[in-house]
Amino acid sequence: MKRMKKALAVLLTAALLFSLTALLPTGVSAAAQPKLTVKTQSNLFPAAEAGYYDLSSMEDENGDVFVTVEFKLAAEGKYLINLDLEGLLWDPDVLEWKEEYNMFGSGRNRRLDLFPFAAENNYGAGITNSFGDNNGGKVIGNFTSVMPAAYAYNEDGSAITLVRGVFKVLDREAGETTVTCAMKSLGLCDDTIRQPYTQYRPIVSGEVNNDDIALVTCSTVITPAAQQRVVPGDFDGDGELTINDITNLQRLLCGFSDVPFDIDDPDFIALADVNGDGKVNIKDVTELQRALAGFIEL
């Protein structure tokens, strides 16, 4: 009797799997896409991106969600003399930049933090033109150093934050948005020069990291970091739910001993109990099949 039940279970699950598989185009999987992916582009800094699945987990005490984009530079042995930011640009329907989000310090020392190395280290003067709170998605500015000039690196040789933007997320399900940092020029000079502001070499697009100024490196950081989503039913850990995951779960439930899963493992149960009833059974297989076919989203 038990053998008959097991055989019947195999036939039923195989039939259901076949019928759902027939609905799927080749290569389709149930890997969920991030609700929002923030990307960067620049003529000077490398591209970066961060994907967010659950922005509610990032809410502050007011229920708002913020992301910060930082463009960093490290040039050990160099002074940073000036820069000309042609524009920090974004989509104002997705992200909101306000001066109140981008300020540093308090009281009389409160200042715009668009150029953190200047604002936070009291180097030179950061002059910006923000044109209101959101300005249709653009803020421009420039920086000119006065003695003492700013080192283009931290004491430990690590990167300084050259340009920073803090943004409130307006559209949490935009799919994808891009923040652009367009640089006109960047002025550096050797830090052994007595009056560095009188002699400097402008650095323009395409010159960073070449042999002539090999000490200069650039990077881009988006915070919070990208979220790593746990995909229900992704037993092999490849980041997506596939037909192989469901087949192996069916085989496990039917008693096949060659399936590399432990049905008593809490991590496995957390992935397999997709209907939340505290059990792993054929109902979970059905839910995973429906998710793979696109009928539901887990």
Side-chain angles (χ1 to χ4, degrees):
M1 189 68 177
K2 289 184 178 179
R3 290 184 178 180
M4 289 182 62
K5 287 183 176 179
K6 182 181 290 188
L8 182 60
V10 171
L11 289 173
L12 289 174
T13 54
L16 181 58
L17 181 63
F18 176 80
S19 63
L20 288 172
T21 304
L23 299 173
L24 289 170
T26 302
V28 168
S29 69
Q33 297 299 312
K35 298 294 185 182
L36 177 67
T37 297
V38 179
K39 296 185 175 184
T40 68
Q41 64 181 15
S42 175
N43 59 335
L44 186 63
F45 301 94
E49 67 175 67
Y52 306 108
Y53 295 93
D54 180 16
L55 277 79
S56 62
S57 65
M58 296 163 47
E59 291 180 351
D60 63 12
E61 63 275 11
N62 298 316
D64 296 324
V65 173
F66 290 87
V67 295
T68 301
V69 179
E70 296 183 327
F71 300 93
K72 295 176 172 287
L73 173 139
E76 192 166 359
K78 301 288 183 181
Y79 275 121
L80 180 60
I81 303 302
N82 61 17
L83 66 84
D84 195 349
L85 175 66
E86 184 174 14
L88 186 66
L89 305 97
W90 62 94
D91 184 345
D93 292 328
V94 180
L95 302 175
E96 180 181 47
W97 186 97
K98 283 189 174 183
E99 289 194 3
E100 64 185 83
Y101 307 150
N102 291 272
M103 300 297 287
F104 172 80
S106 60
R108 297 179 63 181
N109 292 322
R110 189 167 172 80
R111 65 196 73 174
L112 188 64
D113 206 26
L114 181 62
F115 305 136
F117 70 92
E120 297 171 16
N121 295 296
N122 203 27
Y123 284 127
I127 306 167
T128 64
N129 300 287
S130 62
F131 298 107
D133 280 344
N134 210 27
N135 184 36
K138 181 177 181 180
V139 59
I140 65 174
N142 58 65
F143 163 83
T144 301
S145 175
V146 295
M147 290 294 288
Y151 283 112
Y153 56 95
N154 289 314
E155 290 183 1
D156 61 0
S158 62
I160 61 171
T161 300
L162 198 68
V163 179
R164 174 191 291 151
V166 179
F167 300 92
K168 177 181 174 181
V169 178
L170 299 180
D171 186 350
R172 302 189 183 188
E173 298 191 1
E176 185 178 299
T177 193
T178 300
V179 177
T180 300
C181 181
M183 299 291 297
K184 280 187 178 180
S185 64
L186 175 64
L188 299 174
C189 78
D190 193 308
D191 66 6
T192 61
I193 298 175
R194 184 174 179 81
Q195 292 184 318
Y197 59 88
T198 63
Q199 301 180 48
Y200 69 89
R201 184 181 188 282
I203 309 302
V204 296
S205 175
E207 291 185 334
V208 170
N209 289 324
N210 69 14
D211 293 337
D212 190 32
I213 50 171
L215 291 176
V216 179
T217 59
C218 293
S219 60
T220 308
V221 176
I222 303 174
T223 54
Q227 293 174 332
Q228 300 300 315
R229 184 179 187 273
V230 176
V231 179
D234 175 28
F235 307 120
D236 58 12
D238 66 356
E240 52 186 18
L241 172 64
T242 64
I243 200 72
N244 290 333
D245 294 311
I246 298 177
T247 300
N248 279 324
L249 178 58
Q250 289 174 313
R251 289 172 58 81
L252 178 65
L253 293 175
C254 290
F256 290 93
S257 60
D258 61 337
V259 181
F261 305 139
D262 180 1
I263 198 168
D264 296 319
D265 184 340
D267 291 335
F268 172 80
I269 295 174
L271 286 175
D273 180 24
V274 293
N275 67 353
D277 64 358
K279 305 174 184 178
V280 178
N281 52 35
I282 193 63
K283 294 180 180 179
D284 298 300
V285 173
T286 302
E287 289 298 284
L288 290 174
Q289 290 171 329
R290 294 179 66 207
L292 189 61
F295 297 136
I296 61 173
E297 181 177 338
L298 298 175

